[in-house]
Amino acid sequence: MIKVGIIGANGFLGLELLRILSIHPKVQIAKILKRENDIEEDFTHLSSLNLNENQTSNINDFKDLDCVFLSLPHGFANEYVKELINKVKIIDLSADYRIDDINSYKEYYKSPFNSDIQNNFDYGFIENNLENIKKSSNIANPGCFALASQLAVLPFHEFIDNISITAITGSSGGGKLPTSKNHHSTRSKDIFSYNINKHRHLAEIFQSFPHLKDDLSFVPLSGPFTRGIYLTAHIRSKENVDSSKINSLLKKTFNDHPFIRIQSQAKLSNVIGSNYCDLSVSIKDENNFVIESCLDNLIKGASGNAVECMNIMFSEDQSLGLKDMLPLYL
Amino acid sequence: MIKVGIIGANGFLGLELLRILSIHPKVQIAKILKRENDIEEDFTHLSSLNLNENQTSNINDFKDLDCVFLSLPHGFANEYVKELINKVKIIDLSADYRIDDINSYKEYYKSPFNSDIQNNFDYGFIENNLENIKKSSNIANPGCFALASQLAVLPFHEFIDNISITAITGSSGGGKLPTSKNHHSTRSKDIFSYNINKHRHLAEIFQSFPHLKDDLSFVPLSGPFTRGIYLTAHIRSKENVDSSKINSLLKKTFNDHPFIRIQSQAKLSNVIGSNYCDLSVSIKDENNFVIESCLDNLIKGASGNAVECMNIMFSEDQSLGLKDMLPLYL
Amino acid sequence: MIKVGIIGANGFLGLELLRILSIHPKVQIAKILKRENDIEEDFTHLSSLNLNENQTSNINDFKDLDCVFLSLPHGFANEYVKELINKVKIIDLSADYRIDDINSYKEYYKSPFNSDIQNNFDYGFIENNLENIKKSSNIANPGCFALASQLAVLPFHEFIDNISITAITGSSGGGKLPTSKNHHSTRSKDIFSYNINKHRHLAEIFQSFPHLKDDLSFVPLSGPFTRGIYLTAHIRSKENVDSSKINSLLKKTFNDHPFIRIQSQAKLSNVIGSNYCDLSVSIKDENNFVIESCLDNLIKGASGNAVECMNIMFSEDQSLGLKDMLPLYL
Amino acid sequence: MIKVGIIGANGFLGLELLRILSIHPKVQIAKILKRENDIEEDFTHLSSLNLNENQTSNINDFKDLDCVFLSLPHGFANEYVKELINKVKIIDLSADYRIDDINSYKEYYKSPFNSDIQNNFDYGFIENNLENIKKSSNIANPGCFALASQLAVLPFHEFIDNISITAITGSSGGGKLPTSKNHHSTRSKDIFSYNINKHRHLAEIFQSFPHLKDDLSFVPLSGPFTRGIYLTAHIRSKENVDSSKINSLLKKTFNDHPFIRIQSQAKLSNVIGSNYCDLSVSIKDENNFVIESCLDNLIKGASGNAVECMNIMFSEDQSLGLKDMLPLYL
């Protein structure tokens, strides 16, 4: 059994970590960092799990575990990571260690940057970085928009001339703090964009695919639903494409990855509640095509991908525990 | 033209007052009390109305108007009412002046009570209190649950032996302050009860129908929608009932009231966006029947009823302006 | 491993059977009856499971399995049950075998009744019928409204003088056939009642608690959400009650049942996606109290309860497989 | 008073025509073509309007009216138009007369084309075609996606090098026929694309802006809401742009049009329930910018624009009746 700890279990991502890890056949949730509220006070629906018993306020209790997940707001991980690093494997769901380049980090995040610690982290983009993750001790898990975008780009990135992405996310993407943006009375019928061509997840996309820096236009939208990201990428290709070329690239890129599915039509309801990311392609002409990707922002877009990383780091089957989370559909 | 002022236009009820009054053929919105934010800052969708121009911070500017609407949180009206009373007609949408009896008020509201001012207010339950409203200078507009309940009770109150009400309201009922209860991520699929048999609107119901005090059980629910109240009342009757008796009571009670409709089946979508309250009855046996009522909590349950009161106070057609707000259906 | 078959896998209940059984550690889904569409054609989100391979059109292929689940529309089970009975254990999710009394069945269902076969079925109300289910070969799984009602009634049924139930269900309760009632454009903001005091699930409630026949008023509502039933029961008691008496009755009734939770406040979001039924009580006075129950209509209200029955019939832990379906919350 | 008739009042667009026309100060709804169901049978929420009285099955009753609106499914208008043309002004909300070019029509619609009648129709893209509409007797009202796209394109079309549009519509866009695509149980959490680069509304866009034929990629999405289209257009410009140039183009194009608003941030909730189309621009660099547009698909995207055309054809104020439909916001 992998003995895991969770720091930051009281938020939406923490909630999903609890859901996933508590049904994982080789995981024992050994410690949860106690926050202001007991975990069962924030999540009364989990009252039957007796999770309060595993809470501790002592960071030292995490040092002899096998793996610690952190899901804290941006900028809060370092306090704990500096205590735990080199003692346990770390998987951090925040943005704090995703970016290698100090200038890029500052451009998007405006805050201090700890190169010494950051250097110890590998970026958890599994489908592009599998071999490094296998050997890694510390993972910076990708952002949800960043992963949905990068999975759409990965098979084709070498011949992208220009790409325009519009991606819409549900209200859970903004976290559990109540704001006017997630007030049900408006959000249940609203759509609006924010941070057009300035969203922080662009730092990750450009790190993975530097040549897109001038050729990507990116619009994130907020929509009237709870879970999921649905992304549409219009791509102009440098090379001629046809369906057989595209299909062979998709196959080559994702064939060994259990949670990437190629569908004739992407549908958000097909992935919600699961770790799947579904992709579909529509060719316009020999130089233009559209690829769409969709995933559950809380699972493949966050906690599910983090557990998939854990499986890989501990040499377990990549899909262990996660393949049992079938899409809800309804 | 009736020159009206609005104090408290920046909330959900104020928004509806603006929507209704700005299309009312005999109303001029002359003054809006300036709050922390300009009205068009809080409601960017109304930017085309140039409402900012009518804002003022000076309460004296309201004293020579014809009618002032107040839609402030509980406990905040008095500061303005004491300045305006006897100078203009007042329609207050808060709970502050609804209750005549000091003990009942204290039981439900726990706060100070100004009898001198409260005595000048008439309760705006139009269908039960029309003659008083015609002559009134100051109206305390009913609460949304209170009105939905009282409209269901009114035709039958004399022979109710026992009544069990379950009423579900949308997220707009809680106002615009973001809280964990109206966070879209949970609220969009949630239902929960609150203040069972202790809801403050019970004070109004018991004031209108004192003999129900021991015979009413009342459960308010919050549901996953924005607008509306749907209310189910199980009634046990002291007298035998049949459909002809019930229909004749409904007709007698509501025949002259343009916004009460008797439907074979109540449906919330049939009233949303309008000032209608739809009622329907299902008879179980000679002593038991169910009456259901539904209304838009922001319109007939608040701002629409307030404007209907204004029409009556100013001897206009009761439905003026309001009958043009047809139900949205979609 | 329990080798199971599913007849009627292409509907909403069948979908949930597939979700639950495919993660059950002691179940192998051996056969699925082929319908007009392949299972993966109706449920493209399950394309990764290769369920099509297990399809067969031959009823004989089900005869040497351990257990067959049927989730067909009302009136269609018999054709298969008469072939399978006494050969495999049967769990039927339709209404066809729930009612022992031919007159009651005819009153509510208007259709033929096969006493010979019906006599072989036990009613799958686990919390009231555990010992019979342990020994049973054929289970008629309760209806969703019926189970939500009976779980609320069970602890108190002996001293109920009068009970008024209002229960609201999501759109999945009506099945997957598109109709005007489940058209998203209206349903997403609608509430309406149907079959007041005539709902077919009343036959089950009255069978379990015959003395309620004259003392229950029952209003089923349809609401603007997908999953779940939230039920409010106003109860007048023949005996005086207080919180200690009520709590001890709740404890006595449900203590050994892993999916019934007593909460200080019932919330639908706390049970969605899980097999839990949450209950909460609010006392009005010594003779009147309110009990609320909520459950996921597709899980504890249907497929989850059916699998719980299977666990019991096969002497497995009652919660096996099911306890890993934690509430989604978001 | 303008005496109008409605043919096709029982659908979603017809419903909005009824809502808008019944509050229009210079319109009398004189005739409604009787369909299979009485209008108040399909729309019980309008029972108070006594619309049934205006129904007729005789097409001749429409010939002496001033203006007839048709809102029929594609392909059904001609039967009525050939009777009415040159007798009354006609405003058709279907696609049947929008396309001048027979080949383009056949490419997208696959059905017969009546050039003789089509030649008598002007395309109701008000902001681009005002002078023709003023003199027109017959209007083909634009499609909802087509209008949202064209309003975004109009100010910039001369220097567009490449444009990628992703536009998401609510469930009302598909009409009232219940289908698996608008079943609430999935649609309330679903997003999916359809007819990528093949949507029929492209015929209108290419007719207005022929040079975009090779340079537009267009993805229509269906989303989990009832009303509205939210459109994102990524534009690469042939000429350098900056905010002053863009703002002056926006002003020049739309200054005289009362329902086009330039907002710092487009928000769908700001236009729902109204005839407004809101636009906002975000500049990426000197050659790339994003323009977003949003509108209520049933109002500015259909029935509201049709009534705006009527106002223009009858020399009334362009916004008469329509400016009183303020956005709902909630």
Side-chain angles (χ1 to χ4, degrees):
Chain A
M1 297 296 275
I2 307 169
K3 292 171 83 169
V4 311
I6 304 176
I7 295 175
N10 296 53
F12 285 175
L13 299 188
L15 169 68
E16 288 298 278
L17 281 174
L18 289 171
R19 282 213 317 132
I20 299 169
L21 293 172
S22 65
I23 66 166
H24 193 290
K26 295 227 178 149
V27 161
Q28 177 201 349
I29 302 178
K31 295 290 171 201
I32 296 171
L33 191 77
K34 170 121 177 52
R35 312 280 287 175
E36 198 177 334
N37 293 332
D38 276 337
I39 190 74
E40 292 176 20
E41 196 177 338
D42 277 358
F43 296 140
T44 54
H45 64 288
L46 298 180
S47 63
S48 34
L49 296 190
N50 299 319
L51 292 167
N52 285 354
E53 294 173 9
N54 301 325
Q55 292 183 123
T56 172
S57 300
N58 188 348
I59 184 65
N60 291 319
D61 291 344
F62 291 80
K63 292 181 179 170
D64 55 358
L65 302 179
D66 299 309
C67 183
V68 174
F69 292 86
L70 292 99
S71 55
L72 296 166
H74 173 65
F76 288 82
N78 215 48
E79 170 188 354
Y80 303 101
V81 167
K82 68 185 183 197
E83 295 283 331
L84 299 174
I85 199 158
N86 298 325
K87 301 196 179 69
V88 294
K89 291 189 194 291
I90 294 173
I91 300 176
D92 180 45
L93 281 81
S94 82
D96 295 9
Y97 307 108
R98 293 175 192 159
I99 307 302
D100 297 332
D101 180 66
I102 188 163
N103 292 321
S104 172
Y105 188 81
K106 280 184 180 160
E107 178 185 348
Y108 287 95
Y109 289 95
K110 325 281 187 222
S111 59
F113 183 84
N114 188 328
S115 299
D116 291 346
I117 285 190
Q118 200 282 331
N119 287 339
N120 292 282
F121 276 77
D122 292 293
Y123 185 53
F125 180 10
I126 296 166
E127 292 76 8
N128 193 36
N129 206 19
L130 183 64
E131 295 309 316
N132 286 327
I133 296 170
K134 282 182 184 172
K135 299 172 293 189
S136 179
S137 295
N138 304 293
I139 294 291
N141 200 59
C144 51
F145 274 128
L147 188 58
S149 299
Q150 292 177 99
L151 287 168
V153 164
L154 184 60
F156 313 115
H157 69 99
E158 286 179 6
F159 56 84
I160 291 176
D161 181 39
N162 192 270
I163 177 167
S164 298
I165 293 178
T166 301
I168 185 164
T169 187
S171 59
S172 66
K176 82 170 181 184
L177 188 72
T179 71
S180 63
K181 287 191 179 187
N182 58 38
H183 192 304
H184 176 273
S185 292
T186 47
R187 182 63 179 256
S188 61
K189 58 171 70 71
D190 216 355
I191 301 179
F192 52 89
S193 59
Y194 63 102
N195 295 343
I196 296 179
N197 284 315
K198 296 198 181 92
H199 195 283
R200 288 171 162 185
H201 290 180
L202 285 168
E204 295 168 55
I205 300 171
F206 294 145
Q207 176 171 275
S208 296
F209 307 110
H211 66 291
L212 293 186
K213 191 131 196 185
D214 292 330
D215 301 321
L216 167 62
S217 177
F218 183 81
V219 176
L221 301 176
S222 292
F225 53 99
T226 295
R227 284 173 179 257
I229 287 178
Y230 191 97
L231 180 147
T232 301
H234 305 258
I235 293 178
R236 193 175 54 201
S237 168
K238 291 174 188 165
E239 300 176 15
N240 285 5
V241 293
D242 59 20
S243 73
S244 82
K245 179 168 183 173
I246 280 177
N247 286 334
S248 86
L249 283 167
L250 287 167
K251 204 170 280 187
K252 193 180 93 180
T253 313
F254 296 122
N255 225 16
D256 297 333
H257 291 284
F259 294 112
I260 314 299
R261 300 190 296 196
I262 315 303
Q263 299 269 16
S264 61
Q265 183 184 35
K267 270 172 66 81
L268 192 54
S269 64
N270 277 354
V271 299
I272 298 305
S274 81
N275 198 49
Y276 290 113
C277 174
D278 280 5
L279 300 171
S280 69
V281 174
S282 170
I283 296 174
K284 187 190 166 207
D285 55 42
E286 56 188 13
N287 284 110
N288 291 280
F289 62 99
V290 170
I291 180 159
E292 300 189 280
S293 68
C294 58
L295 49 74
D296 187 318
N297 60 308
L298 299 175
I299 307 183
K300 183 62 178 172
S303 303
N305 192 78
V307 173
E308 199 179 343
C309 285
M310 181 200 75
N311 285 337
I312 295 166
M313 293 161 83
F314 286 85
S315 305
E316 299 290 348
D317 179 84
Q318 187 172 334
S319 65
L320 194 66
L322 294 160
K323 66 173 181 287
D324 289 342
M325 303 185 76
L326 294 178
L328 272 176
Y329 188 61
L330 298 178
Chain B
M1 298 295 274
I2 307 169
K3 294 172 81 169
V4 311
I6 304 175
I7 294 175
N10 296 54
F12 285 174
L13 298 189
L15 169 67
E16 287 299 277
L17 281 174
L18 290 171
R19 283 213 317 132
I20 299 168
L21 293 171
S22 65
I23 66 167
H24 193 291
K26 298 225 177 153
V27 161
Q28 179 202 348
I29 302 179
K31 295 292 170 200
I32 296 170
L33 192 77
K34 170 125 178 50
R35 310 281 287 178
E36 198 178 335
N37 294 332
D38 275 336
I39 189 77
E40 292 176 20
E41 195 177 337
D42 276 359
F43 296 139
T44 55
H45 65 287
L46 298 181
S47 63
S48 34
L49 297 189
N50 300 317
L51 292 167
N52 285 354
E53 295 173 7
N54 301 325
Q55 293 183 123
T56 173
S57 299
N58 187 348
I59 185 66
N60 291 318
D61 291 343
F62 290 80
K63 290 181 179 170
D64 56 358
L65 301 179
D66 298 312
C67 183
V68 174
F69 291 85
L70 292 99
S71 54
L72 296 165
H74 173 65
F76 287 82
N78 216 46
E79 169 188 354
Y80 303 101
V81 167
K82 68 187 181 195
E83 296 283 331
L84 299 173
I85 198 158
N86 298 326
K87 300 195 180 69
V88 295
K89 291 188 195 291
I90 294 173
I91 300 175
D92 180 46
L93 281 81
S94 82
D96 296 8
Y97 308 107
R98 293 176 191 157
I99 307 302
D100 298 330
D101 179 66
I102 188 162
N103 291 322
S104 172
Y105 188 82
K106 280 185 180 161
E107 178 185 348
Y108 287 95
Y109 289 94
K110 324 279 187 227
S111 59
F113 183 83
N114 187 328
S115 300
D116 290 345
I117 285 191
Q118 201 281 333
N119 286 339
N120 293 283
F121 277 78
D122 292 294
Y123 185 55
F125 179 11
I126 295 166
E127 292 76 7
N128 193 36
N129 205 19
L130 182 65
E131 295 309 316
N132 287 326
I133 296 170
K134 283 181 183 172
K135 299 172 292 186
S136 179
S137 296
N138 303 292
I139 294 292
N141 201 58
C144 51
F145 274 128
L147 188 57
S149 300
Q150 291 176 99
L151 286 167
V153 163
L154 184 60
F156 314 113
H157 69 100
E158 286 179 5
F159 55 82
I160 291 175
D161 182 39
N162 193 269
I163 176 167
S164 298
I165 293 178
T166 301
I168 184 164
T169 188
S171 59
S172 66
K176 82 170 182 184
L177 188 73
T179 70
S180 62
K181 287 191 177 185
N182 59 38
H183 192 305
H184 177 272
S185 293
T186 46
R187 183 62 180 258
S188 62
K189 58 171 71 70
D190 215 354
I191 300 178
F192 51 89
S193 59
Y194 63 103
N195 295 342
I196 296 179
N197 283 316
K198 295 197 181 93
H199 195 283
R200 288 169 163 189
H201 291 180
L202 285 168
E204 295 168 56
I205 300 171
F206 294 145
Q207 176 172 276
S208 296
F209 308 110
H211 65 290
L212 294 186
K213 192 131 197 185
D214 293 331
D215 301 320
L216 166 63
S217 178
F218 184 82
V219 176
L221 302 177
S222 292
F225 52 101
T226 296
R227 283 172 180 257
I229 287 178
Y230 191 97
L231 179 147
T232 301
H234 306 256
I235 293 177
R236 192 173 55 199
S237 169
K238 290 173 187 165
E239 300 175 15
N240 285 6
V241 293
D242 57 23
S243 71
S244 80
K245 178 169 184 174
I246 280 178
N247 287 333
S248 85
L249 284 166
L250 287 167
K251 204 170 280 187
K252 193 181 93 179
T253 312
F254 296 122
N255 224 18
D256 298 332
H257 291 285
F259 294 112
I260 313 300
R261 300 190 297 196
I262 314 304
Q263 300 270 18
S264 60
Q265 183 185 35
K267 271 172 65 81
L268 193 54
S269 64
N270 277 355
V271 299
I272 297 305
S274 80
N275 198 49
Y276 290 113
C277 173
D278 281 3
L279 300 171
S280 69
V281 174
S282 170
I283 296 173
K284 187 190 167 207
D285 56 42
E286 56 188 11
N287 285 108
N288 292 280
F289 62 100
V290 170
I291 179 160
E292 300 189 278
S293 69
C294 58
L295 49 75
D296 187 319
N297 60 308
L298 299 174
I299 306 183
K300 184 61 178 173
S303 303
N305 192 77
V307 173
E308 199 179 343
C309 285
M310 181 201 74
N311 285 338
I312 295 166
M313 293 161 84
F314 286 86
S315 303
E316 300 290 350
D317 180 85
Q318 188 172 334
S319 65
L320 194 66
L322 294 161
K323 68 173 178 289
D324 290 342
M325 305 186 75
L326 294 179
L328 274 174
Y329 188 62
L330 298 177
Chain C
M1 298 295 275
I2 307 168
K3 293 172 83 168
V4 310
I6 304 176
I7 294 175
N10 296 53
F12 285 173
L13 298 189
L15 169 67
E16 287 299 278
L17 281 174
L18 290 171
R19 283 213 316 131
I20 300 168
L21 293 172
S22 65
I23 66 167
H24 193 291
K26 298 226 175 149
V27 162
Q28 178 201 350
I29 302 179
K31 295 290 172 202
I32 296 170
L33 192 77
K34 171 125 177 50
R35 310 281 287 177
E36 198 177 335
N37 293 332
D38 274 338
I39 191 75
E40 292 176 19
E41 195 178 339
D42 277 358
F43 296 140
T44 55
H45 63 287
L46 297 181
S47 63
S48 33
L49 296 190
N50 299 319
L51 292 167
N52 285 354
E53 296 173 8
N54 301 325
Q55 291 182 125
T56 172
S57 299
N58 187 348
I59 185 66
N60 290 320
D61 291 344
F62 291 79
K63 290 182 179 169
D64 56 358
L65 301 179
D66 298 311
C67 184
V68 174
F69 291 85
L70 293 99
S71 55
L72 296 165
H74 173 64
F76 288 82
N78 216 46
E79 168 188 354
Y80 302 102
V81 167
K82 67 187 182 195
E83 294 283 332
L84 299 174
I85 199 158
N86 298 326
K87 302 196 178 67
V88 294
K89 290 187 195 289
I90 294 173
I91 300 175
D92 181 46
L93 280 81
S94 83
D96 296 9
Y97 308 107
R98 292 175 193 158
I99 308 302
D100 298 331
D101 179 66
I102 187 163
N103 291 322
S104 171
Y105 187 81
K106 281 186 180 160
E107 178 185 349
Y108 287 96
Y109 289 94
K110 325 280 188 226
S111 59
F113 184 85
N114 187 328
S115 299
D116 291 344
I117 285 192
Q118 200 281 332
N119 286 340
N120 294 282
F121 277 78
D122 292 292
Y123 185 54
F125 179 10
I126 296 166
E127 292 76 7
N128 194 35
N129 206 18
L130 183 63
E131 295 309 316
N132 286 326
I133 296 170
K134 284 181 183 172
K135 299 173 291 187
S136 179
S137 296
N138 304 291
I139 294 291
N141 201 58
C144 52
F145 273 128
L147 188 57
S149 300
Q150 292 175 99
L151 286 167
V153 164
L154 184 60
F156 313 114
H157 68 100
E158 286 180 4
F159 56 84
I160 291 175
D161 181 40
N162 192 271
I163 177 167
S164 298
I165 292 179
T166 301
I168 186 164
T169 186
S171 59
S172 66
K176 82 170 181 182
L177 187 73
T179 71
S180 62
K181 288 191 177 188
N182 59 39
H183 192 304
H184 176 271
S185 293
T186 46
R187 183 61 180 257
S188 62
K189 58 172 68 70
D190 216 354
I191 301 178
F192 51 89
S193 58
Y194 63 103
N195 295 342
I196 296 178
N197 284 316
K198 296 197 180 95
H199 195 283
R200 288 170 162 187
H201 291 180
L202 285 167
E204 295 168 56
I205 301 171
F206 294 146
Q207 176 171 273
S208 296
F209 307 110
H211 66 291
L212 294 186
K213 192 130 196 188
D214 293 330
D215 301 321
L216 166 63
S217 177
F218 183 81
V219 176
L221 302 177
S222 292
F225 53 100
T226 297
R227 283 172 180 257
I229 287 178
Y230 191 96
L231 179 148
T232 301
H234 306 255
I235 292 177
R236 193 176 52 201
S237 168
K238 290 174 188 165
E239 301 175 14
N240 286 5
V241 293
D242 58 22
S243 71
S244 81
K245 178 168 183 175
I246 280 176
N247 287 333
S248 86
L249 283 166
L250 287 167
K251 203 170 282 186
K252 194 181 91 182
T253 312
F254 296 122
N255 225 19
D256 298 332
H257 291 284
F259 294 112
I260 313 300
R261 301 189 297 195
I262 314 305
Q263 298 271 15
S264 60
Q265 182 184 35
K267 271 171 67 81
L268 193 55
S269 63
N270 277 355
V271 298
I272 298 304
S274 81
N275 198 48
Y276 290 113
C277 174
D278 280 4
L279 300 171
S280 69
V281 174
S282 169
I283 296 173
K284 186 189 166 210
D285 56 42
E286 57 188 12
N287 285 108
N288 291 279
F289 62 100
V290 170
I291 179 160
E292 300 189 278
S293 69
C294 58
L295 49 74
D296 187 319
N297 59 308
L298 299 174
I299 308 183
K300 183 61 177 172
S303 302
N305 192 77
V307 173
E308 200 179 341
C309 285
M310 181 201 75
N311 285 337
I312 296 166
M313 292 160 85
F314 286 86
S315 304
E316 299 290 348
D317 179 83
Q318 188 172 332
S319 65
L320 194 67
L322 294 160
K323 67 173 180 289
D324 289 342
M325 304 186 76
L326 294 178
L328 273 176
Y329 188 62
L330 298 176
Chain D
M1 296 297 274
I2 307 168
K3 293 171 82 169
V4 310
I6 304 175
I7 294 175
N10 298 51
F12 285 175
L13 299 188
L15 169 68
E16 287 299 276
L17 281 174
L18 291 171
R19 283 212 318 131
I20 299 169
L21 293 172
S22 65
I23 67 166
H24 193 290
K26 297 225 176 153
V27 161
Q28 179 202 347
I29 301 178
K31 294 293 170 201
I32 295 170
L33 192 78
K34 169 119 179 54
R35 311 281 286 176
E36 198 177 335
N37 294 332
D38 276 336
I39 190 75
E40 292 176 19
E41 195 177 337
D42 276 0
F43 297 141
T44 53
H45 64 288
L46 298 180
S47 63
S48 33
L49 297 189
N50 299 317
L51 293 167
N52 286 354
E53 295 173 8
N54 301 325
Q55 292 183 122
T56 173
S57 300
N58 187 350
I59 185 66
N60 290 318
D61 291 343
F62 290 79
K63 290 181 181 171
D64 56 358
L65 301 179
D66 299 310
C67 183
V68 174
F69 292 85
L70 293 99
S71 55
L72 296 165
H74 173 64
F76 287 83
N78 216 47
E79 168 188 355
Y80 303 102
V81 167
K82 67 185 183 198
E83 295 283 332
L84 299 173
I85 199 158
N86 297 326
K87 301 196 179 69
V88 294
K89 291 187 195 291
I90 294 172
I91 300 176
D92 180 45
L93 282 81
S94 82
D96 296 8
Y97 308 107
R98 292 175 192 158
I99 308 301
D100 298 330
D101 180 66
I102 188 163
N103 291 322
S104 171
Y105 188 82
K106 280 186 181 159
E107 178 185 348
Y108 287 96
Y109 289 95
K110 325 277 186 229
S111 59
F113 183 83
N114 188 327
S115 300
D116 291 344
I117 285 191
Q118 201 281 332
N119 286 340
N120 293 283
F121 276 78
D122 292 292
Y123 185 54
F125 179 10
I126 296 166
E127 292 76 9
N128 194 37
N129 205 20
L130 182 64
E131 295 309 315
N132 286 327
I133 295 170
K134 282 181 184 172
K135 299 172 292 188
S136 179
S137 294
N138 304 292
I139 294 292
N141 200 58
C144 51
F145 274 129
L147 188 58
S149 300
Q150 292 177 98
L151 286 168
V153 164
L154 184 60
F156 314 114
H157 67 101
E158 287 179 5
F159 55 84
I160 291 175
D161 181 40
N162 192 272
I163 177 167
S164 298
I165 293 178
T166 301
I168 185 164
T169 188
S171 58
S172 66
K176 83 170 181 184
L177 188 73
T179 72
S180 62
K181 287 191 178 188
N182 59 38
H183 192 304
H184 176 272
S185 293
T186 46
R187 182 63 179 258
S188 62
K189 57 172 68 71
D190 216 354
I191 300 179
F192 51 89
S193 59
Y194 64 103
N195 295 343
I196 296 180
N197 283 315
K198 294 197 183 95
H199 195 282
R200 290 170 161 188
H201 290 181
L202 285 168
E204 295 168 57
I205 301 171
F206 294 146
Q207 175 171 275
S208 297
F209 308 110
H211 66 290
L212 294 186
K213 191 129 196 186
D214 292 331
D215 301 322
L216 166 63
S217 177
F218 184 82
V219 176
L221 302 177
S222 292
F225 52 100
T226 296
R227 285 173 178 257
I229 287 179
Y230 191 97
L231 179 147
T232 302
H234 305 256
I235 292 178
R236 192 175 53 200
S237 168
K238 291 175 187 165
E239 301 176 16
N240 285 5
V241 294
D242 58 20
S243 72
S244 82
K245 179 169 183 172
I246 280 177
N247 287 333
S248 86
L249 283 166
L250 287 167
K251 204 170 280 186
K252 194 180 92 181
T253 312
F254 297 122
N255 223 17
D256 297 332
H257 290 284
F259 294 113
I260 313 300
R261 300 189 297 194
I262 316 304
Q263 299 271 17
S264 60
Q265 183 184 36
K267 271 172 64 82
L268 193 54
S269 64
N270 277 354
V271 298
I272 297 305
S274 80
N275 198 48
Y276 290 112
C277 173
D278 281 4
L279 300 171
S280 68
V281 174
S282 170
I283 296 174
K284 187 189 168 210
D285 56 42
E286 56 188 14
N287 285 108
N288 291 280
F289 63 99
V290 170
I291 179 160
E292 301 189 278
S293 69
C294 58
L295 49 73
D296 186 318
N297 60 309
L298 299 174
I299 307 183
K300 183 62 177 171
S303 303
N305 192 78
V307 173
E308 200 179 344
C309 285
M310 181 201 74
N311 285 337
I312 296 166
M313 294 161 84
F314 285 85
S315 304
E316 299 290 350
D317 180 85
Q318 189 172 331
S319 65
L320 194 65
L322 294 160
K323 66 173 181 289
D324 289 341
M325 303 186 76
L326 294 178
L328 273 175
Y329 188 63
L330 297 177

